[in-house]
Amino acid sequence: MGKLVALTLLGACLALIGERLLNFRERVSTTREIKSTEPQNCHLIEGLENGSEDIDILPSGLAFISTGLKYPGMPTFAPDKPGRIFLMDLNEQNPKAQALEISGGLDQESLNPHGISTFIDKDNTAYLYVVNHPNMDSTVEIFKFEEQQRSLIHLKTLKHGLLKSVNDIVVLGPEQFYATRDHYFTSYFLVLLEMILDPHWTSVVFYSPKEVKVVAQGFSSANGITVSLDQKYVYVADVTAKNIHIMKKHDNWDLTPVKVIQLGTLVDNLTVDPVTGDILAGCHPNPMKLLIYNPEDPPGSEVLRIQDSLSDKPRVSTLYANNGSVLQGSTVASVYHKRMLIGTIFHKALYCDL
């Protein structure tokens, strides 16, 4: 009898794993024929050769760009080089990317920047918050931006038990931010198992000096995060579920779900158009080409604009799409005064006049 029960349980487990493997294959092997959509005035940005995973633009038009991310399972063109933070002034006629010097106590050789977010305090001082993965750990680094010197001063490193496998961040006050966890586990084997079984255990965490808590959960893989212009709603990309969650922000920082927008493509980082409030999403139309990289058949890039996101019928349009011949593995798009920057996981970055 005991052997029969054991065999029954084993069979059930194998059936579950088989079903989940098929589901995982469907999620990541979906590929679409990309119809090219490219603004006429676009060019690759000189000096950004090893990724540009996230981009955040100050209201003044100064754009911060995180580069050099090493992420498990993703390609990298510079495995032995530390990451950098670059700056572009989009007010210039021909803006150039400039690597920012960093002072302070940060070990710059271990800088592995992922998501970034800016915050401007009451005296108009700008701060840059950077998700960092030193030795594949997760920390949040806080920098003060010195505009005259075009440099960063490292102020503090934040660590917490809930800030594990952090992907992206949106800062709403001094040391007050939401962060996404794209995996529940941290070990490589368990992360792979989690990706296959898809238990929907990833979450959004709120951090402040007084309180750290999970404020939303149940995502397949929470990725990009940003906030509406009025700061009443938080937008969360669930990358492998191919959708965006719109959540209402409460006075106690808790989040409650409002709606989900299905996009049919893997959604990475999110930004908001500072004029219209539209959501811009960097997407991956060919996920399997990211996992199994072939330079002769590279992953494409896609940028979507979501208008009227709170309405019954949000409007989704394509701002940019390319089969990888120009730009590979897009993660983010950010706009300022009809100028758009598009970043990637490991490839180059693109500048476009809209």
Side-chain angles (χ1 to χ4, degrees), residues 288-308:
M288 186 58 77
K289 293 182 181 181
L290 281 173
L291 297 175
I292 306 175
Y293 181 69
N294 177 4
E296 301 300 320
D297 185 23
S301 292
E302 184 176 40
V303 174
L304 300 181
R305 179 190 289 273
I306 299 93
Q307 298 171 282
D308 304 322

Side-chain angles (χ1 to χ4, degrees), residues 47-51 67-71 74-84 109 111-113 136 293 345-347:
L48 299 180
E49 310 291 336
N50 303 313
T67 72
L69 174 66
K70 288 85 176 171
Y71 190 84
M74 292 292 108
T76 175
F77 292 157
D80 299 322
K81 288 186 178 181
R84 301 292 299 270
E109 290 299 312
L111 182 60
N112 187 15
M136 296 305 167
Y293 181 69
I345 298 178
F346 60 89
H347 194 233

